Amino acid sequence: MVATSSIGMNPSHYDFSLLPEYLEVFFTKLRIAVVFGGDCNKPGSVIYKTHNPRAWKSYEVVAREIANSLKEVGFKQVFLMPDDLNLPDKLKAENIHLVWMNTGGVQGYNPVCHTPALLEMLGMPYIGHNPLNSSILDNKHAFKRELQSVGIKTAPFIIWHPSQGIFKPKLQDRFALAFGDYSGPFIVKPVSGRASLHVHFVETIEGLSQAISAVHQATHNTALIEKYLPGREFCVAVCGYVTHAQGSFSKQQKPFAFSTIERVLESDELIFTSMDKKTITADRGKLIGPEEPQLKQELIELAQKIYWEFSLNSLVRIDVRCDENGELYVLEANPKPDLKRPGENVTSLVALGLAEYKMTYNDLILSLIADRLDYLLMKDIGIISHIVDLLHFS
């Protein structure tokens, strides 16, 4: 065993080479809660039930798969908990040291940022995005504005809130400013959502008001109107700097970007169908092959740039589409991409490209928690004394 009694007094004693030895201690001692979305319909989960403009899902099945993977890689004390009113008491009762967030929130506006904000108030470290980034990533218009500020291309867009009444594009100066003389087609979708739900393809300007009203009716929230890009569609996953593959850890100088995938649209699909309506299978995406090295590198560098510019510290999936000239435009970033364990003809877009890097699903899960622990030990050791204390033994 490693004598680490001085680490709390002198953070400079930690470096990446010590991580495997520390993990051996954490495997036994670290108490991890994998948190999934709580159900506001269950008695005692909230004080008052309200509205959630983001289509709710518990994500409990995938949370269970993450928990099982954590156990398989060596962690002995892993707990599943719903994200609701009782979460703080449960975290305290089980003496949890670290939370893995696999929740999109319970209810209310901007639900994705509620749990990280709660955990920060509790002093509980977690795997996931900070409250601000959670909200920015989940609110497509805010994310797109941030993209524009750092020079990353995104499709031209405007937004329209229900309080602004019926949308009349020809009377809106903002519409002309965003789109010029472009008259369609368009995409209309919620600013906050998941799984491509309530997304409308609109052929001409005349159909915009009806599509926007449909989004307002479904979500009671802002609608996003953007130019439809007719080219190929891609996605790329990106996470931190520490990865695990073939039994060993490595730490790169740049974020780890992987699973560069082209989404396979069927002949009648102009946009990708919601995963709630059509399961993600291996034939719904194909890896960018060696015959297109420049495209693959562009996607990797784009994902790394976003991870860096937004100061992210957890996994995201970037969705990208080409215009008619083959130029790449970022559509959105998924702050909680599906981490479903690959099975028979069922997978997730994130896991689809792991084999290319000689990684398994368990490698990815171990990489994500190892990267977070490495960051906390290197940069935030002063606020994780309860974790550092686990390393103090004779």
Side-chain angles (χ1 to χ4, degrees), residues 86-123:
N86 306 295
L87 181 61
D89 287 340
K90 289 181 179 178
L91 293 173
K92 185 176 181 179
E94 295 292 352
N95 192 27
I96 297 300
H97 302 117
L98 179 72
V99 168
W100 185 307
M101 291 195 301
N102 194 62
T103 172
V106 181
Q107 63 176 10
Y109 290 82
N110 294 308
V112 172
C113 73
H114 294 169
T115 310
L118 172 66
L119 294 175
E120 291 198 358
M121 185 271 289
L122 296 174

Side-chain angles (χ1 to χ4, degrees), residues 62-359:
V62 173
R64 195 171 299 278
E65 291 175 339
I66 293 169
N68 288 338
S69 178
L70 288 169
K71 293 175 184 176
E72 289 170 11
V73 300
F75 292 98
K76 306 299 183 187
Q77 303 187 73
V78 184
F79 305 79
L80 276 173
M81 296 182 184
D83 172 17
D84 61 22
L85 177 66
N86 306 295
L87 181 61
D89 287 340
K90 289 181 179 178
L91 293 173
K92 185 176 181 179
E94 295 292 352
N95 192 27
I96 297 300
H97 302 117
L98 179 72
V99 168
W100 185 307
M101 291 195 301
N102 194 62
T103 172
V106 181
Q107 63 176 10
Y109 290 82
N110 294 308
V112 172
C113 73
H114 294 169
T115 310
L118 172 66
L119 294 175
E120 291 198 358
M121 185 271 289
L122 296 174
M124 179 67 67
Y126 55 86
I127 296 168
H129 304 290
N130 67 46
L132 178 60
N133 273 335
S134 296
S135 190
I136 289 174
L137 293 168
D138 195 53
N139 283 274
K140 298 175 179 62
H141 60 310
F143 177 64
K144 286 164 74 73
R145 286 169 179 161
E146 291 289 329
L147 290 175
Q148 291 174 332
S149 74
V150 294
I152 297 176
K153 292 180 181 177
T154 185
F157 73 100
I158 63 168
I159 57 173
W160 196 253
H161 190 271
S163 65
Q164 295 172 298
I166 297 174
F167 181 69
K168 298 177 181 179
K170 294 182 180 179
L171 301 180
Q172 299 301 325
D173 292 339
R174 282 190 295 142
F175 185 87
L177 187 64
F179 297 108
D181 58 2
Y182 178 76
S183 59
F186 300 89
I187 295 295
V188 176
K189 57 189 175 183
V191 292
S192 174
R194 63 166 193 84
S196 301
L197 292 170
H198 310 301
V199 179
H200 302 264
F201 173 83
V202 181
E203 189 70 49
T204 64
I205 290 177
E206 287 70 28
L208 286 175
S209 293
Q210 183 177 354
I212 292 166
S213 294
V215 171
H216 287 171
Q217 185 174 7
T219 67
H220 307 291
N221 199 17
T222 307
L224 179 88
I225 307 101
E226 68 181 1
K227 179 181 179 180
Y228 172 73
L229 302 174
R232 300 162 69 188
E233 185 167 332
F234 309 98
C235 57
V236 52
V238 60
C239 56
Y241 302 82
V242 175
T243 56
H244 184 269
Q246 296 184 300
S248 64
F249 290 98
S250 60
K251 188 172 184 179
Q252 308 301 321
Q253 295 298 311
K254 295 182 178 180
F256 175 50
F258 62 104
S259 287
T260 48
I261 292 167
E262 179 173 5
R263 284 180 150 177
V264 178
L265 302 179
E266 296 183 3
S267 58
D268 60 343
E269 282 185 301
L270 292 169
I271 55 177
F272 203 71
T273 303
S274 164
M275 64 181 291
D276 283 8
K277 299 177 181 178
K278 187 175 291 188
T279 304
I280 301 293
T281 56
D283 59 358
R284 297 282 286 156
K286 64 178 182 179
L287 288 171
I288 306 301
E291 69 279 4
E292 295 185 287
Q294 183 176 347
L295 171 61
K296 180 172 183 158
Q297 188 60 31
E298 281 186 51
L299 290 169
I300 287 173
E301 291 178 0
L302 185 58
Q304 290 172 332
K305 181 176 175 62
I306 289 172
Y307 197 93
W308 174 262
E309 293 288 356
F310 284 76
S311 300
L312 299 180
N313 49 30
S314 192
L315 177 71
V316 293
R317 192 194 72 235
I318 311 297
D319 293 343
V320 182
R321 191 146 182 167
C322 289
D323 66 5
E324 60 275 11
N325 299 315
E327 291 288 324
L328 295 176
Y329 288 77
V330 176
L331 297 179
E332 57 191 70
N334 188 326
K336 201 207 71 56
D338 185 23
L339 273 175
K340 183 172 184 58
R341 183 190 287 266
E344 187 176 353
N345 201 35
V346 178
T347 187
S348 66
L349 293 170
V350 166
L352 199 57
L354 289 174
E356 181 180 7
Y357 297 89
K358 297 181 172 56
M359 292 175 68

